[in-house]
Amino acid sequence: MVFKPFTHIARQSFAKTLTHGYAQSVVAATQSSYASSTAQFGPFGNHSASRFGKAGTSQLQNAFQNNPNAVAKPGSTHASADGNGDGGLAAYYAAWQKHQHNGEDREWKQYQFTKRIGWKPPSAVFEGKSREKEEAGQRPELLPGRVALDRAYTTSAVDDIKKAEDGVAETAAVAKIDEAIADEICRIQGTSDVASKQATATPITQNEGSGQSLDEVGSFDLLPSESSSVTATPTIAASSSSTDEASISSLHPTEPQSFFEHITRLEHAKLYTEIPPVFESMLLAGIRPTVQAYNALLAAAINLPKAKHQAVPKALDVYSDMLRRRVLPDTTTYSTLIELLSLRALDVSRMKADLAEAKLRFGGMQQAGQFMFRSHEAEHDILAEDEALVYAIKLFNISTVGAQQRSFSSSTYSLLIQACAIRGEVDNMIHVYSHMEAKKVVPYAAIFAPMITAFAASGDLSSAVECYNEYKSLAVLDDNRKFAIIQRADNEVYAAVVKVYTMCGKPDGGIRFLGKIIEVLDEEPQKDRLAAMRDTVVLDGLVQERLDTGMFADALEITEKHRLTPSTRRLAMTRICAAAADNGDVEVATKAYQYALSSADDTSVAAIPMLALHIRQGSVSEARSFWATLSTLSRPTGALIEPTAMYAVALIGSGHVDEGLMQARQSFARVRSSTIPGNARSDLTEEIDEGIEFIGRYLADKHILPSPHASMSFMWAMMENGGLVAPVAEQLLVGLGPDEISKLSWKDLTLGLQVEASFIRNDLAVLDIAHTARFSSLLDAVVGNHMPLEKPTLDLVEACLTKMAPRHPELLELWQSYRRPSVLQALPSVPHAPQPSSSILTPGEYVETFDPYASTTDYRGSTIIADELERHSAKTGTALNDVLVRFRNMRRAGRHPRYIVYAKMISAAAKDGRANVIQDILTMAKQDMPFLPHYRAVRHGWSSILDAMVGACLTLGNRAMAAQFHQELLDIGSAPTANTFGLYITTLKESTKTFDEATEAVKIFHRAKSEGVQPSSFLYNALIGKLGKARRIDDCLFFFAEMRSHGIRPTSVTYGTIVNALCRVSDERFAEELFDEMESMPNYKPRPAPYNSLMQFFLTTKRDSSKVLAYYARMQSRSIQPTMHTYKLLIDTYATLDPIDMAAAEGVLDKIRASGQRPEAVHYASLIHAKGCALHDMPGARLIFDRVLAKSEVRPQACLYQALFESMVATHCVKETEIVLEDMYARRVEMTPYIANTLIHGWATEKVIAKAKAVYDGIGKEKREPSTYEAMTRAYLAVEDRDSASGVVREMLSRGYPSAVSVAPAGERPSGQADQYTKGTLSRSQLDPSPFTQFHTWFTHAQACHVHQPETVCLSTASLPFGAVSSRYVYLKELDDRGFVIYSNWATSRKAADLDSNPQASLAFWWHELERQVRVEGMAERLSEEESQRYYDLRARGSRIGAWASEQSKVLPEEEGGRDVLERRVRDVEERFEGQDKIPVPRFWGGVRVVPRMVEFWQGRESRLHDRFRYTRDETVEEGWRIERLSP
């Protein structure tokens, strides 16, 4: 069991120690006594050995040795056991340390090496081997590991390190370094020893040029570079080793030059790994390095470390060694170091800003003002003390003192100036710039923007403007083709100037400045630069300055005001959102977030601060939507770790403990899996550990005990991350009592036993009664159920029991009974029986627990294959090939995967359509693991394989073969899974010739239940989808309710299917209510399908453009990428709904192109349809059609021709369709049922039935859809050919199509024709302005015409949330100017329950004698008790008694007497009110008034062309009602 060593439970940074490739002994042998192991070298003696520049003691160590961990014993003269170390070097170093410890001041003589280590002069063999090694890609790891450095320093620890610095040693070291610097200056200037001493007395921190202004800096001619060959030559102690002497004496006189040339070649070839050993060999040969050799070593020190932060300390050690050896650095040395340190300073500034943002965003969760992770606190303290810029400036001053000719490259000056500017070192910035200007070095343009900002930050606006003028003059020279500046950065400089004006309190000046630039660039030659300039200036100047000063609303206003490109606007909005959210400005952050969501790019940059904002404010429910966005990222990064920990803690704190731990585990796993293994993966693992520790610490502090399942799940999360964090694991175990342990699965039980045993064996926790009891319960669960354990677990438990045996011998006896199952019968039965896990068996079923193939199963390989298939589930092709290679290699080794892995490989092959591979896998499974029915494990395993075969056959469309494997499953006592039954349903269309798929789907569903299968969400979704397609909405809602009642949470697919079905039956209100419910679900995963369904519904059925566009806006707010169908709906909306906007419709094509896609044929088809059918512009429609076909990017498709045919029919150009039809066939575009429908309808309107029949015959029977049959039927009826129409209907019914589309006969006419309505007409002039008056007129007329009971009305209600409709006939009792009144029981009846959940109701009157009907829709409201009493008093006494006695709609059980029960109640009520004339109205009975919002009057007319008028409430109309005629 792996436990991670967390003292403070913080991330560990394994920074590498800075040491040299030549041995410490060699370095020490050439030094005087001052170069002791504790000496600090000049200003760089206290440089960091850590990642973040933490000050420490400089040690002479071995930076480029091969094995960082090979430590030989002092005195040993042999290499280490692994062959990577050198015993001679280690022994020498030990002796040298002892010499230094004894305080001997005499010169130390070199130790005698037993074996010479060195590089020989170049030879063909050596070069060949080196080249082979390099070509082979081998890179010897020459960088040793630093001692593990805990990143989680506390502040006190940082202070202790400060106190540990040796001030005396520092002073001595600085003096000696200054002496070496003085020697260099003397040699360059030719001065005397006195001048040298005076130079030594000058502090190195003095800035020689700091007292000069910019105006005083003179210009100097560029002088030739100094020679770097001037070096001090200290005496090198000779070796007394005869072996060394022989080797050295045998060297060729030109060997030093060979070394120098070879090391230079290595540097130029960038073979950095070979430089340190060559340098070491050169020293062992007694050759004094030149400055060029040191420069090569310096390049290796910078380029070899894999971690960027390790380069600085290694490079400074090389520089310190140069000075100790009296080798004077040259310009290359100084330039390299200055650039490196400047880059480090810039990195530190960036890291400080990132930490400050993290503290603001995530800090304060447990303690105000604190970082979330402890390591961040330490990093912040360490970065605060970083002195990289100080060292860079010192090096610059040292290198330029007295060296009049020295100058640096443009990049060196640029990096140092930028670092000074960003850190606010204005004086040093001016000094460096002056030196660059004096040396006439062409500057990089990148330095001017930070310089301008630095001047402004110091309050010097005039210098900032002067700096801008300087840049402008250089830019003018550049425009005149004079080389005066490198890489122009005009826009960045403009942005800096605008920002400076605002910083100095003159924002109007910045706006005027921007206006002048825009005015200049708005001219024709410059226009292409205008957009880029505006983007940069607004974003980096105006917006960023407002964000820096906390003016978030102003930043938002500026972004909205200026015309930015879409990408820049999104970037600006993302910045505003993050800044506002981090500072608690909810309103601005929310607005900016909505803008940012319009991007299809990564939305995590905006979602993370919004999530943190709502969590800080305690609104976890608001945070859920942002978490949903983050949890769907395709490639999550380490930036998600802190939000994950924060969200998990927020959920836990709000009572959702299990959900919080589950979300944390899933998110950490996704972050880890998206990172490539390596150093970055290692750092990520450490940070995840710290997130886990943060969550565990919160659980402990709040004394929260998760459920057993959640505890074990989170423990597995730690295991997945590489090991357990001991304090967190211990906290999770606390909640595992005997009852909880009995509910654990075998896998969780095994892990719990391993963890508890590890705690006890390794003394990681106090062995108290709790740990003992918990271990005993876990052991009982394993032993009592004879669970098989792997050998590592067995060994761990036995080691633990050995430790506990003296105090708990009974546990040891229990364990021995487990290890020796043959004696189980002699032992008393173990009382523990884990519940309710079905995987834990009783002792009598021991044979059932045995897997005869376990010994040959490759569990690790199985896990790898399963993970690979899961990772590439969307694209199985390549992954399947790789998996099959691994699978076959496994079998060659005599091993095989687990049963479930065979099943997964079969499913993957089916997705890829590879039937032969499926058969091969099945055959190999039969060979590897023949079916043995008397073993339960084998039966269970083969159930998964056969289930996968059923699913594979269904996927490939072979239902007969699926039925065979299905029967095999039943024969072994198993059944397919619920998801496989779901596949039975989803693959129906490809298999059945009856088009009533919904009925088949219901049969499959009931078969699944009959075979004992528990339905899953996928099975319900498949069933509901088929029912919705068939418009069987009641069945949809029934199964939806059943799904919920079984505790199966509907998914977004379920809701989308229901919404689509409701749209099909035009149930607008309920569809929208369910849609809102879907969006509010915590597990909601945004999908475009439901949005498209509602958009299409409001487009085609309701014809409401505002609703269509509203749902499109909601789709965008959820960051859902529109599909091609979405774009088509938008085009149709703009082009066909009032107000028609063809420009907007055509603009949708630009949106498609902007999203990186191409418009498809359907989009052009929509435009053609709009031109022809909506605008009746046939020439315009034909023009679009011809242009599209002329383009090669869109191939001819049926939808284009269908749109053109529809336009021709709508504009009465039916005869011209024949030419277009010939062209369609010539382009090999097939006839579709929908094109046929259009042409049939067109020819029918022209009364050319022969051509309509030709089109109908041309479509072929197999392709005819219900709509095709309907079109041809109507065509025949249009010419009174009813016999042919009946023939079409009969063919349709013979194919299994529903009869709803057929022409149903009515009445008793032999022809099958319906009765005609001829008794009246209705016109607008006959209507009263009030529907109540109009109803009264019709009602009295019905009474006068002796209509039977005209007050009879059908009352319809619907319950929520499922929308099931119920109807019944009641009597209308009252009518007034408020509505229609009925009376009934409102407590127990179905209508009462409906109206309680949904007060909407409808009334329908049918007066057959007058061929009239009236429909009413409105809101139902209860009458007062007084109003109900007045009517109640008018009823017959028997009816009043009956109202009391009957519990309307309640069941009267026959076994209790049925109607006799009712009659007994009547007698009881009569006795109760005997002698009373005034009977009070029951509280549950009374009147309901339907207050209409719509009333329709319908008068039957001949040929079904009825008169229909609808009254709709409209307060803008004088009478309050709008009257409209409706189509019949």
Side-chain angles (χ1 to χ4, degrees), residues 22 26-27 278-289 325:
Y22 43 93
V26 180
V27 178
V278 173
F279 195 93
E280 180 178 353
S281 301
M282 181 172 61
L283 291 177
L284 292 175
I287 299 171
R288 182 176 178 275
R325 291 180 183 277

Side-chain angles (χ1 to χ4, degrees), residues 135 243 381 433 565 611 763 822 915 960 1042 1227 1264 1375 1384:
E135 289 173 358
T243 304
D381 293 338
Y433 184 86
T565 59
L611 173 84
D763 296 324
S822 59
E1042 180 183 287
R1227 295 179 185 269
R1264 291 171 188 165
L1375 173 69
S1384 185

Side-chain angles (χ1 to χ4, degrees), residues 748-934:
D748 290 344
L749 196 60
T750 305
L751 177 62
L753 182 64
Q754 291 173 345
V755 175
E756 190 61 66
S758 298
F759 270 114
I760 296 173
R761 188 192 68 173
N762 300 325
D763 296 324
L764 295 175
V766 178
L767 187 56
D768 55 12
I769 189 172
H771 281 282
T772 304
R774 194 158 42 243
F775 178 77
S776 175
S777 297
L778 290 164
L779 193 64
D780 278 346
V782 173
V783 173
N785 295 278
H786 303 282
M787 288 182 174
L789 297 177
E790 296 180 355
K791 189 177 184 304
T793 307
L794 293 172
D795 295 341
L796 178 62
V797 173
E798 289 187 351
C800 176
L801 287 171
T802 301
K803 186 174 182 178
M804 298 177 66
R807 300 177 63 181
H808 300 280
E810 72 283 358
L811 294 179
L812 187 58
E813 292 177 7
L814 185 65
W815 179 251
Q816 289 172 349
S817 70
Y818 168 77
R819 297 304 304 273
R820 297 174 179 82
S822 59
V823 299
L824 277 175
Q825 302 301 325
L827 294 176
S829 60
V830 180
H832 176 77
Q835 297 292 335
S837 175
S838 60
S839 63
I840 298 177
L841 309 175
T842 62
E845 296 175 313
Y846 174 73
V847 68
E848 293 281 309
T849 68
F850 179 69
D851 183 357
Y853 306 119
S855 59
T856 55
T857 301
D858 186 343
Y859 291 97
R860 184 174 179 276
S862 299
T863 303
I864 294 173
I865 290 175
D867 290 346
E868 188 72 16
L869 291 174
E870 287 291 333
R871 251 193 326 270
H872 301 88
S873 58
K875 298 179 180 179
T876 57
T878 305
L880 182 60
N881 292 335
D882 296 341
V883 161
L884 291 175
V885 170
R886 184 182 293 276
F887 171 53
R888 292 189 175 100
N889 290 339
M890 185 189 297
R891 295 185 80 245
R892 291 190 190 101
R895 311 279 283 174
H896 59 80
R898 298 169 58 203
Y899 302 95
I900 190 63
V901 174
Y902 283 100
K904 289 185 176 182
M905 289 192 293
I906 289 170
S907 300
K911 285 183 181 179
D912 210 32
R914 298 162 71 172
N916 57 331
V917 174
I918 295 172
Q919 191 59 44
D920 290 345
I921 295 171
L922 180 63
T923 302
M924 287 185 279
K926 292 178 178 178
Q927 294 171 356
D928 297 340
M929 303 173 299
F931 180 65
L932 302 175
H934 52 285

